[in-house]
Amino acid sequence: MWTLWGFVALLAAAVQSHITYIEVRLPLEGTPSPPGSPWPLPQVYRPSDKLLEVDPNNFDIRSEAICCDIVDQAIKRYKKLLFPVNKTAESSKTKLKALDVEVEEYEDKAEHCGYPHHKSDEKYKLEIKDDGAAILKSKTVWGALRGLETFSQLLYHDEKAGSFFINATSIEDWPRFSFRGILLDTARHFQPMKVLKQNLDAMSYSKFNVFHWHLVDDQSWPYEMEVFPNLTDAAYHPKQIYTQENLREIIEYARLRGIRVIPEIDTPGHTQAIGKIFPKLLTPCYGEGGKGTSRHPDFAGFEMLNPMQNYTYDVMKEIFNETTRTFPDEYIHLGMDEVYYKCWESSPEIAEFMAKNEMKKVAEVEQHYVRRTLDSVKNLGAKYMIWQDPIDNGVKAAPDTLVGVWKDVYLDSKLLPWQTYMSRIVKHGYQLVLSAPWYLNYISYGEDWKKYYNIDPRDFEATDEDKDLIIGGEACMWGEYVDGTTLISRLWPRAGAVAERLWSSASVVDVESAKFRLDEMRCRMVRRGIPAAPILNGYCGGYDWDL
Ligand SMILES: *[C@@H]1O[C@H](CO)[C@@H](O)[C@H](O)[C@H]1NC(C)=O
Ligand SMILES: *[C@@H]1O[C@H](CO)[C@@H](O)[C@H](O)[C@H]1NC(C)=O
Ligand SMILES: *[C@@H]1O[C@H](CO)[C@@H](O)[C@H](O)[C@H]1NC(C)=O
Ligand SMILES: *[C@@H]1O[C@H](CO)[C@@H](O)[C@H](O)[C@H]1NC(C)=O
Ligand SMILES: *[C@@H]1O[C@H](CO)[C@@H](O)[C@H](O)[C@H]1NC(C)=O
């Protein structure tokens, strides 16, 4: 028999005290990254071999812009993140004494420096010169946040030498896509505040900028509202709710990290929880026992909003109104997915409504609901995002609607490949956000992040001009099988694969080399207190979880 240990080689020798990999029998494919390699890879990244030493007791991050709370607090956060241990030794290398952060545009009178927006500028330039000076320049505070994160990743602790080092490096960086999101679902399971914040931290480390919050669904309504305080009676438990205070806390935590929070109130399907509090909102389906009874597996007795009555639009308008005032982002997500027609088809009231309004197909009932709802939300001054379903059904939405593409053949063999949907939807001229190939709640053994890494959102049939309608993508963690015990380690660092795909140049595709950088990123996250799961065999250089 092949004796494994006869073929063991230490790969780590060249990169002391960095991550240690043991080659067993087969050499590891790809090129291991030197310590201090950034994730996601910057657009223009020019590291040199010149090492500078950084002394934790004699290093500062300075900025004129600290009157702006985003810059001020980011500098405080990064000062802590940079030095997880105290140095123990001195080297003869040139010292880097400070990083100067220059931001062109910020409100110098405002302590509250605003919210990130759709298509905010995130560009930055970072120069770490070999004479020991370092400067980070950006137009906006958002660019400064991205640059500080990169700087923090270039710095590393050399365990053997007992010092911190950074290579002289020149970087120019900007995102390939402006919308880089993570979807969390707090309805299938409640996700504790601590986990939501940890996730926002992890997102900022990978330069994600949208938290798509799938707040409510059939299973529960944990979202506390002033307009209808009894809605949280449809939460799992009175403690498993997000109070107004909690919501503000999450929005603020995200803002300080340059992350938008887009709330989703999914209708007209996925509404059984709200139906518990407002039973008249739901359409009675006609099952085996007549009105309001189920016919399995086609429908429950009541499951979708009733599109025929003004009452539905009036109640929902109150909910949308408060939601758009609570969440500062200009966008709200209105769901609109999975409207299964069989319930509506079973209903004589719907048939009557169709006849009265000269509608021939049930899709026109859906269109009626979509139109009225989008108009109502537009009147509130908000912009919206919806899932692709109404568009697939031939419904026309307002031209500025953002459409999320979630369908793919691996989710259901009756669906088509995501590329086919993309080709179809861009022809209608809507802006697109791709999430279909990035349902990270689907798990499997091994390095499954590679599958996510190898997806390119522009890889489908369409003209280049049509492809420019893709503004980004989203990694989704649907909540059926995750709660506070599993969410973070299931999502991270796998979501990092999506982060690099959406941020870095389209030419960054070498997955075998990327794995070493992603593994370093994983160790970095562990060092920062995020319980991210391992993706390779190895050792995090003394920073392993609960070592
Ligand atoms: C930093 O410099 C060292 C040599 O001093 C080199 O081995 C290493 O590859 C450099 N790091 C990067 C990221 O290029
Ligand atoms: C570094 O040393 C200072 C002063 O002794 C101490 O307060 C601090 O907690 C130490 N930091 C770490 C990460 O060990
Ligand atoms: C919840 O409150 C609304 C408005 O105050 C009311 O119309 C509704 O009937 C209440 N629901 C329950 C289940 O009490
Ligand atoms: C329902 O709302 C529509 C549109 O706002 C309005 O034209 C109509 O009169 C309303 N119907 C009733 C019965 O109130
Ligand atoms: C939204 O709510 C605010 C505050 O309650 C109210 O003043 C405003 O009229 C509402 N807007 C609409 C369009 O109903």
Side-chain angles (χ1 to χ4, degrees):
M1 207 186 113
W2 207 220
T3 57
L4 296 185
W5 299 108
F7 292 82
V8 166
L10 257 187
L11 189 70
V15 281
Q16 283 169 9
S17 77
H18 185 36
I19 307 169
T20 305
Y21 299 107
I22 311 290
E23 288 180 342
V24 181
R25 194 184 326 154
L26 296 171
L28 291 164
E29 280 179 74
T31 313
S33 52
S37 296
W39 186 279
L41 201 67
Q43 298 278 348
V44 179
Y45 173 50
R46 297 200 192 91
S48 77
D49 281 348
K50 167 82 178 178
L51 279 187
L52 303 170
E53 193 195 332
V54 184
D55 176 353
N57 302 314
N58 195 4
F59 174 79
D60 202 9
I61 305 178
R62 305 182 293 217
S63 181
E64 302 265 295
I66 52 165
C67 52
C68 160
D69 61 354
I70 289 170
V71 176
D72 179 39
Q73 298 212 27
I75 288 177
K76 288 185 180 134
R77 278 200 310 279
Y78 280 104
K79 277 184 183 167
K80 278 195 197 138
L81 289 178
L82 287 174
F83 307 110
V85 292
N86 281 327
K87 77 168 193 151
T88 52
E90 188 95 5
S91 81
S92 57
K93 301 232 164 18
T94 310
K95 305 276 187 293
L96 178 70
K97 293 225 167 76
L99 171 66
D100 286 298
V101 181
E102 288 181 11
V103 184
E104 259 175 60
E105 293 171 7
Y106 59 93
E107 287 186 60
D108 57 1
K109 297 285 179 295
E111 262 175 57
H112 183 289
C113 244
Y115 290 94
H117 286 285
H118 191 50
K119 302 192 176 169
S120 283
D121 185 316
E122 295 173 288
K123 249 195 197 128
Y124 68 93
K125 266 189 193 184
L126 178 60
E127 291 285 341
I128 295 146
K129 303 196 186 115
D130 50 18
D131 63 0
I135 183 154
L136 167 62
K137 282 190 189 175
S138 66
K139 187 160 172 224
T140 67
V141 294
W142 319 116
L145 289 178
R146 305 304 168 233
L148 278 168
E149 176 56 38
T150 304
F151 178 84
S152 76
Q153 298 189 4
L154 301 182
L155 183 92
Y156 68 95
H157 181 237
D158 186 318
E159 210 185 353
K160 282 236 172 75
S163 309
F164 289 90
F165 295 109
I166 192 164
N167 289 47
T169 302
S170 164
I171 287 176
E172 269 184 71
D173 204 10
W174 61 90
R176 180 179 171 209
F177 293 101
S178 63
F179 189 113
R180 304 177 309 282
I182 295 276
L183 175 147
L184 297 186
D185 165 8
T186 55
R188 274 54 179 262
H189 280 95
F190 181 77
Q191 310 297 345
M193 288 291 285
K194 179 183 163 205
V195 165
L196 296 185
K197 287 184 184 170
Q198 246 179 351
N199 185 60
L200 289 167
D201 282 330
M203 285 173 69
S204 72
Y205 303 156
S206 280
K207 301 188 168 69
F208 277 104
N209 65 357
V210 179
F211 169 28
H212 173 172
W213 193 345
H214 187 86
L215 260 170
V216 295
D217 209 295
D218 286 320
Q219 289 80 356
S220 73
W221 186 289
Y223 167 28
E224 182 189 79
M225 299 196 77
E226 277 168 6
V227 60
F228 301 127
N230 62 359
L231 278 170
T232 46
D233 292 349
Y236 285 117
H237 185 276
K239 281 190 181 159
Q240 296 203 324
I241 68 168
Y242 303 107
T243 63
Q244 296 274 314
E245 178 66 34
N246 292 154
L247 299 170
R248 278 193 293 274
E249 217 176 303
I250 292 296
I251 293 163
E252 178 66 0
Y253 202 85
R255 178 181 81 86
L256 291 172
R257 287 157 183 78
I259 298 171
R260 304 162 55 196
V261 183
I262 300 186
E264 178 178 351
I265 306 293
D266 197 353
T267 67
H270 296 273
T271 45
Q272 292 194 49
I274 189 175
K276 283 187 192 140
I277 310 304
F278 290 91
K280 292 209 185 75
L281 272 186
L282 302 186
T283 320
C285 314
Y286 282 71
E288 276 119 22
K291 187 171 182 176
T293 64
S294 62
R295 190 177 82 204
H296 294 301
D298 295 338
F299 48 77
F302 297 87
E303 59 176 44
M304 284 188 296
L305 294 189
N306 186 337
M308 300 176 278
Q309 53 186 10
N310 283 359
Y311 171 71
T312 304
Y313 302 96
D314 294 344
V315 171
M316 290 315 301
K317 189 171 144 198
E318 301 271 350
I319 290 176
F320 293 137
N321 188 2
E322 183 175 321
T323 304
T324 58
R325 283 180 296 113
T326 302
F327 290 85
D329 202 78
E330 66 254 66
Y331 281 84
I332 175 173
H333 199 301
L334 301 172
M336 310 257 180
D337 56 317
E338 299 182 301
V339 175
Y340 295 119
Y341 290 165
K342 284 181 178 162
C343 167
W344 284 351
E345 281 167 353
S346 75
S347 157
E349 286 94 10
I350 291 275
E352 197 184 312
F353 177 79
M354 287 173 65
K356 206 164 84 194
N357 292 284
E358 294 169 13
M359 295 174 177
K360 294 195 178 58
K361 292 178 297 186
V362 181
E364 292 170 79
V365 178
E366 184 180 16
Q367 162 108 9
H368 176 83
Y369 178 81
V370 172
R371 275 280 171 82
R372 274 193 75 164
T373 300
L374 298 192
D375 285 350
S376 160
V377 172
K378 186 162 236 159
N379 281 334
L380 296 168
K383 295 181 178 166
Y384 33 74
M385 197 170 164
I386 58 173
W387 294 113
Q388 69 183 99
D389 306 51
I391 311 301
D392 296 343
N393 295 340
V395 170
K396 285 198 177 54
D400 60 350
T401 307
L402 281 187
V403 177
V405 172
W406 68 271
K407 294 183 188 172
D408 194 10
V409 69
Y410 78 93
L411 301 172
D412 180 343
S413 59
K414 291 198 283 294
L415 298 176
L416 303 168
W418 63 266
Q419 292 90 340
T420 310
Y421 295 111
M422 296 288 273
S423 296
R424 288 183 187 169
I425 298 169
V426 284
K427 292 208 183 92
H428 296 288
Y430 299 110
Q431 296 181 83
L432 293 182
V433 173
L434 178 66
S435 51
W438 290 320
Y439 270 30
L440 271 59
N441 46 296
Y442 280 63
I443 48 174
S444 55
Y445 187 71
E447 297 170 58
D448 73 346
W449 65 272
K450 288 181 174 174
K451 178 173 78 189
Y452 307 123
Y453 192 81
N454 286 331
I455 299 287
D456 193 286
R458 289 176 69 104
D459 191 8
F460 65 93
E461 288 294 302
T463 63
D464 280 349
E465 200 188 347
D466 281 351
K467 287 182 189 179
D468 289 343
L469 290 165
I470 305 164
I471 59 164
E474 255 179 17
C476 299
M477 182 50 70
W478 293 101
E480 288 87 352
Y481 305 103
V482 288
D483 64 7
T485 63
T486 44
L487 190 143
I488 296 290
S489 64
R490 192 159 295 174
L491 187 55
W492 301 100
R494 294 158 77 233
V498 184
E500 179 147 297
R501 185 54 57 236
L502 295 174
W503 179 282
S504 305
S505 157
S507 64
V508 178
V509 291
D510 178 357
V511 69
E512 293 304 337
S513 295
K515 76 181 171 213
F516 295 104
R517 262 186 314 110
L518 183 58
D519 197 44
E520 181 179 5
M521 183 63 182
R522 182 260 160 174
C523 289
R524 189 178 286 133
M525 292 173 82
V526 165
R527 191 166 75 213
R528 294 176 179 187
I530 307 282
I535 58 158
L536 291 172
N537 299 206
Y539 157 71
C540 277
Y543 296 110
D544 300 69
W545 193 249
D546 251 349
L547 186 75

